[in-house]
Structure formats: C-alpha cells, structure tokens
Amino acid sequence: MSATEDEVVAAVAEAHRRDWAGVLGSTAQLTRDLDLAEECAQDAYAQALETWGERGVPDRPGAWLTTCARNRALDLMRRESVFRRRMPLLVADEVVPGPEDALNDDRLRLIFTCTHPALSPDARVALTLRLVCGLSTPEVARAFLVPPATMAARITRAKKKIAAARIPYRVPGPDQLEERVGAVLEVVHLIFTTGHTAPLGAHLVRRDLTDSAIRLARVLHLFMPANAETGALLALLLLNAARQETRTTGSGRLLLLSEQDRSRWDRQLIGEGQALLTEALRRRPPSRYALQAAIAALHAEAPSWADTDWAEIVDIYDVMLRLWPSPVVELNRAVAVGLRDGPQAGLDALAPLLADPVLATYGYLSAARAEFLRRLENWPQAVTAYEEALTLTDNEVERAFLTERLIEVREGALRPSC
Amino acid sequence: MAKYMILIYGDAEQWDSMTGEQWEAHNAGHAAFAAKAGTRVLDGRQLEPVPTATSLRADARGQVHTTDGPFLETKEGLGGYYLVEAADLDEVLELARLLPELNHTHSGLEIRPVVEHG
C-alpha cells in the first residue's frame, strides 16, 4: 500500500491544514511546554513525509500524527528531563484522551489559550496564526507588515507570558465563555480581513489566511452552535469568500463588485452563508457580524450591481451606526447613500468625514470620493483624489487599479469640455 | 498552585473625596472579597497615601539618594495589595473581579505572577 510522492505531499499538506492544531494541542497537553510541543509536531509531519510513501497514507492521518508527535515528546522528555530546565510549565487539567473528539477538544483549548484577553491583541492574532493555523513565523510577519525578527520576538514574549502568568490551557467554563468567545471571534475576523485584502504584496487575496479563518469559524460554530455570534461570523466569512475568485481578472487586475462575473460566485458557499444568516438574524439585538453578513448577503443575492437593494443596505448601516458608531461604518454608509441616490449625494455624505482624524490615512475614503467625482466628470478633483488614494495603499493589485483610473481621469481633464 | 500579587492603584484625590457611606460600602466589598477568597489570600494591606512614600535610588557612582515621594510619579498611585494563591491566572482574574476598586473608573488592579524560587 505504498503511495506516490505527489500523493504523500498532498496528504501531508491536507493533514497540516486540517489537523495541525489538534496534533499540537494534544502534544502540548502532554509536554506542558508549547515550544517542545511545536518541535515534536513538526517532527511528526516530517516523519509522515518519509513513512507514508513506504507504508501508504494512514486511514486517520490526524491520529497517526498525534501518536507520532506524542511519542517523540515522551522520548525527548525522558531523555532530556535532566538537562532541560523547562519551567514554569503550562497549566493544564488532567484530561483522559477520548478517541472521538479529542483532536477538536485539543484544538479548542489551543484557540482559547492563544486568544486569552491577558495577551495583547497583536499577540493573540500572531499566536493563533502560528500555533493554531500552523503558519510559519515569516508568513505571520508578512501578513502584518512587520519584520520576521519582530514577529518572532512578539510570539516568544507571548509564550513566556502564558507560562509565567499561568494562563491556563483550557476551554473556559460557562460563566466566562461568552466573554472569551468574543475575543476569539475578533481574532478570526481579523485573520480573514487581513487575507481578504492583503495589506501588501502582489496578490489581492491570501488564501492561506482566509481559509484558516473559515476553518476556525467552522470549529467554533460546531463547538457552540447556540452562540449567536459564531454562526453570524461564519456566515459573513462564507458570503465574502464566495466572491473571492472573481475579485481579480486572470491577469490579476482588481475587479470592483460592479464589474465581477456574478455567475462565477460560489453558490454553495452563498447558500450555506444565507442559511446561517437566517438563523443569526432571529436573535435580538442582532450581532454586529450578523448585520455585516446581511449586507454581504444582499450583494450575493442581487442579480446585478444596478439591481442591488441599496436602500436596504443604507438601512442596515443605520442600525450599525446606532449600535456601534464608527467612522468606517459612516464611510460605508455614505458610499451606499451615493449608490442609492447618485454620485452627488454620495459626495455630500462623504464631505463631513474628511475632517475625521481616524479616516485621514484610510485609503478607501479617497478612493470612494474619487469614484463619485469621476462619475460626475469632475476631472481635476478626481485626479487629486485618486493621487491621494494611491499614496495610502501598498497592495499592488489595488495600486494598479487606482493608477488605471488615475490615467483615465487625467485624460478626461485634458479633453475640451463642450 | 502559584502566587500572584494583586496591586491596587487609584487616584488619591478621588479617594479623599469619598464620603463615609461610600467608604463603608467600599470596605464591605473588601470583606466580601476576603470571605470569598478564604485561605487563598496570603496577605493583604492598605498602604498609607502616596505622599508618605520615600524612595531610594543609586547613581552611577553608587551613591544612594533618598527622596520624598513615590518611585514613579503617576496620577494613579499604589494604594494597597493582596498576595493570593491560585491554580492559574483565570482563577485570580475571577477573584479580583470581586474587588470594589472595579466599581470606580479612577482606580484599577494590576496582577503580577510571583517568581517561585527553588
């Protein structure tokens, strides 16, 4: 039952995506040392690459990898206990490993430890990507625009705090769960949005990040189906991911929502998102993710850009502004007003936001103004707005799009008006 | 089990302006905390106000300077502490939430793990 090299590589990659957190989590339960557990989990995956070719891919790769990583850990702990001064240790409860959901339980423990509110928000995201999603430190660093050494230091510092302050390796009890889930969902949402429009680089979307976020959201929803926010967040991510493949042309040029080929949107993801959203919207008051998902669903359901229910979208932004006022929501609402009532109305709605310091370096404000000015054929002001938007993004796909528009409005400015 | 220090910080001016009734309620809060925490509280004291503090600091030549006032000049000063024993940070966080300092916006708590030697 040997497997070809390609089959093995694919099987190991799939097991890494699906089971990494479970393998690491289960090993950490044993070692009570995150670094040692990481080392052993990595060894297990390396071992799989060697062994699976000869003996074939096991029926339950996750269980195989866990056993391999734990054996390696036992071996190292026996051999090095005298030399290794591993203190303080991770605080973990005694757990009898169950055969069925053990990997999921281990993954959840890991998620809750990595997103503990006693860690800084930056560290929570970094640790989750590194330990739960299995991204390498340079990959995590790239997602957040910091040098790899800085990210490595951030991760090390967070691990030290987990051990020294004894942040427990545990899913919180019912009385703390509600509050803690909020922190977990924030991290998952941030991972998705970072991957959905990568802040830097040649690609608009980083699938490794968005896929990781969706997988996490699925685990959380599976674990807490009764929690209003887990279903709403999963719906939001799925509805946005459904459009992922159509957001750029084959050559990588950015396509706006108005230009995308709607027939290529992933109907299966949309259907799943809609069903989750219907459930989430039954809650009163609706969660923030549910409202965001409702907007995404209105786009997904619209037969075309022109036939989008902008009035309904403006209404949803009004509810969001009432419950969670923020300049970014105001900006989105103003854009929707412009699409409902025309470009001049949009510009008027954007005008008061120009003085907001939070939005001063927010490229989408300039880009939105530029778009309305272009549609009004107000060429000189459109040129200025596109130039401003260009100074505010480092994503190459977004830059290419804005540059193209800038050339177009510059040409408009040179045409004699009649 | 591990030991943690709960450091109580607050704005002295605001504390001074509290009425007798408010102090009574405040002290009842501390009593409730002590009752709930039981033997997990190893020690706990209120400190005399910040102006009573004396600080010592050595310069580069090893000369020790004695000065009037707290080590760090901040708006909120250290007002008291508890030394507690708990299994993990979550247990301490849950206990600390009972402290009446969290009923005011002008005071707060800092939790520090204590280093165990040996």
Side-chain angles (χ1 to χ4, degrees):
Chain A
M1 260 288 283
S2 64
T4 67
E5 202 180 314
D6 285 352
E7 282 169 351
V8 170
V9 170
V12 171
E14 172 60 19
H16 191 265
R17 271 193 296 275
R18 214 185 39 221
D19 297 321
W20 166 263
V23 175
L24 173 61
S26 170
T27 312
Q29 180 77 36
L30 177 73
T31 61
R32 309 211 165 178
D33 177 319
L34 286 170
D35 287 327
L36 180 61
E38 257 189 290
E39 195 182 313
C40 295
Q42 270 157 6
D43 285 352
Y45 278 89
Q47 185 71 48
L49 276 175
E50 279 179 31
T51 319
W52 292 2
E54 283 164 39
R55 298 190 212 155
V57 178
D59 292 339
R60 293 165 62 227
W64 188 97
L65 287 157
T66 305
T67 309
C68 183
R70 289 176 65 108
N71 285 342
R72 174 96 184 119
L74 285 172
D75 203 34
L76 283 179
M77 284 157 74
R78 246 194 316 267
R79 219 175 331 148
E80 299 184 20
S81 57
V82 190
F83 309 106
R84 243 178 218 265
R85 193 165 162 275
R86 271 185 283 102
M87 65 160 288
L89 293 175
L90 206 55
V91 184
D93 307 322
E94 289 305 326
V95 177
V96 185
E100 280 310 308
D101 295 324
L103 281 183
N104 264 343
D105 292 349
D106 286 320
R107 176 157 48 186
L108 279 173
R109 272 192 280 277
L110 200 56
I111 292 171
F112 278 102
T113 303
C114 290
T115 57
H116 197 282
L119 299 169
S120 76
D122 283 353
R124 288 178 219 168
V125 180
L127 271 185
T128 304
L129 283 173
R130 178 81 193 91
L131 298 181
V132 183
C133 305
L135 265 62
S136 70
T137 301
E139 282 173 325
V140 182
R142 213 152 41 80
F144 294 96
L145 307 181
V146 300
T150 308
M151 186 52 80
R154 188 181 293 171
I155 290 172
T156 305
R157 201 162 49 234
K159 281 183 187 161
K160 273 193 189 142
K161 173 150 186 191
I162 289 175
R166 295 171 68 98
I167 290 176
Y169 185 59
R170 176 193 302 140
V171 175
D175 49 330
Q176 288 186 346
L177 196 60
E178 204 66 16
E179 186 189 335
R180 295 282 307 277
V181 169
V184 178
L185 296 181
E186 248 172 57
V187 167
V188 175
H189 187 224
L190 185 63
I191 291 174
F192 185 87
T193 51
T194 305
H196 194 60
T197 302
L200 177 80
H203 298 283
L204 182 68
V205 175
R206 279 192 57 183
R207 282 291 297 267
D208 55 342
L209 297 181
T210 56
D211 287 355
S212 293
I214 289 174
R215 259 195 307 279
L216 284 174
R218 283 192 191 283
V219 171
L220 292 165
H221 185 55
L222 203 67
F223 170 60
M224 288 166 290
N227 182 293
E229 287 199 285
T230 57
L233 178 65
L234 181 55
L236 173 63
L237 303 194
L238 293 174
L239 288 163
N240 277 317
R243 300 199 299 262
Q244 222 159 46
E245 295 299 322
T246 64
R247 290 173 64 222
T248 48
T249 62
S251 59
R253 179 186 162 270
L254 180 71
L255 288 174
L256 296 180
L257 202 47
S258 55
E259 303 169 316
Q260 292 168 15
D261 176 1
R262 291 174 186 237
S263 69
R264 286 177 55 225
W265 287 356
D266 189 326
R267 290 291 141 194
Q268 201 182 331
L269 291 185
I270 290 173
E272 196 187 346
Q274 283 168 322
L276 286 161
L277 175 62
T278 308
E279 189 58 38
L281 285 174
R282 293 210 178 109
R283 318 293 180 116
R284 287 288 174 268
S287 77
R288 181 168 191 166
Y289 298 128
L291 292 177
Q292 286 176 278
I295 292 171
L298 284 169
H299 286 302
E301 289 156 9
S304 70
W305 175 253
D307 294 321
T308 306
D309 192 346
W310 296 112
E312 178 72 23
I313 290 179
V314 172
D315 286 348
I316 297 175
Y317 279 126
D318 281 335
V319 176
M320 283 171 77
L321 270 183
R322 212 166 47 238
L323 295 173
W324 306 279
S326 103
V328 174
V329 175
E330 275 183 62
L331 167 61
N332 289 332
R333 182 189 175 279
V335 171
V337 166
L339 294 164
R340 184 188 63 184
D341 303 336
Q344 188 56 54
L347 276 183
D348 294 344
L350 287 173
L353 301 177
L354 292 174
D356 195 306
V358 175
L359 295 177
T361 57
Y362 195 69
Y364 291 119
L365 174 55
S366 311
R369 281 192 71 240
E371 175 65 19
F372 287 138
L373 288 162
R374 184 183 71 91
R375 286 174 52 194
L376 287 169
E377 302 192 358
N378 183 339
W379 308 119
Q381 285 198 46
V383 168
T384 314
Y386 276 118
E387 283 171 348
E388 197 178 279
L390 264 169
T391 63
L392 296 172
T393 176
D394 288 318
N395 183 291
E396 285 164 31
V397 177
E398 287 191 329
R399 292 188 60 83
F401 170 83
L402 291 167
T403 305
E404 198 178 293
R405 281 285 158 93
L406 178 60
I407 291 167
E408 188 190 326
V409 294
R410 272 190 185 140
E411 280 167 4
L414 292 174
R415 263 199 305 273
S417 53
C418 40
Chain B
M1 296 298 268
K3 294 189 182 71
Y4 294 87
M5 191 72 129
I6 302 176
L7 301 165
I8 299 172
Y9 287 90
D11 181 342
E13 272 182 43
Q14 305 265 4
W15 290 123
D16 290 345
S17 65
M18 274 167 59
T19 65
E21 267 170 44
Q22 283 170 324
W23 273 112
E24 222 166 274
H26 188 79
N27 292 335
H30 277 279
F33 166 81
K36 177 86 195 257
T39 57
R40 288 178 287 184
V41 175
L42 303 177
D43 189 17
R45 301 287 163 148
Q46 182 181 355
L47 302 179
E48 287 291 346
V50 170
T52 64
T54 309
S55 298
L56 298 178
R57 213 187 267 263
D59 63 20
R61 285 170 302 152
Q63 171 122 30
V64 175
H65 299 273
T66 308
T67 51
D68 170 42
F71 194 75
L72 296 173
E73 285 288 356
T74 50
K75 188 162 172 284
E76 282 106 354
L78 186 63
Y81 68 89
Y82 282 104
L83 181 66
V84 300
E85 192 162 50
D88 56 52
L89 184 63
D90 279 356
E91 189 182 340
V92 187
L93 291 176
E94 205 184 317
L95 271 183
R97 279 177 178 232
L98 300 169
L99 284 168
E101 277 69 25
L102 299 180
N103 300 331
H104 309 274
T105 53
H106 55 77
S107 56
L109 309 169
E110 178 179 321
I111 294 162
R112 297 278 294 270
V114 173
V115 175
E116 300 278 356
H117 290 287

